[in-house]
Amino acid sequence: ITKGVLRAKLSKRRHLVLPRAISPSYLDELMPPIVKNLFEPQTVTYNGGVANIKDWKISCYLEVMEGGIPCTNPHEGLKNHCWELLETCN
């Protein structure tokens, strides 16, 4: 892919998808420990939202931006496990 095409695509989208940029076999190896051991939904206290429920179980995150509502924490074990993938995607 040329730089010009890449720039044009990036100017239109927030994310760029490059099919097979990451080896499918690598992703297949990465997933089982995530599913079996590392995925731990967090419980956060929220204002009740639509369902009027104060304690929500939300996903498990590698990275978290500051100032999010509800506030969550990154899962260090999951982040460590996926670090090489994160670096490749950056």
Side-chain angles (χ1 to χ4, degrees):
I1 191 166
T2 66
K3 286 184 182 180
V5 171
L6 182 61
R7 285 188 186 115
K9 288 184 177 208
L10 287 173
S11 69
K12 294 178 185 176
R13 296 188 177 106
R14 184 173 175 192
H15 299 90
L16 176 67
V17 176
L18 299 173
R20 297 195 169 273
I22 306 294
S23 163
S25 61
Y26 170 69
L27 295 175
D28 288 343
E29 291 174 20
L30 200 62
M31 285 305 294
I34 294 171
V35 174
K36 292 178 183 173
N37 302 316
L38 293 170
F39 183 79
E40 297 175 358
Q42 294 183 55
T43 301
V44 294
T45 301
Y46 194 52
N47 67 4
V50 175
N52 200 25
I53 297 171
K54 296 286 183 198
D55 294 323
W56 287 70
K57 284 191 177 178
I58 62 172
S59 195
C60 187
Y61 299 96
L62 299 175
E63 297 178 315
V64 180
M65 294 174 64
E66 290 186 27
I69 297 175
C71 185
T72 59
N73 297 307
H75 186 287
E76 291 301 322
L78 186 59
K79 185 176 178 180
N80 290 339
H81 181 71
C82 295
W83 185 251
E84 183 180 314
L85 177 63
L86 284 172
E87 286 296 304
T88 299
C89 292
N90 284 336

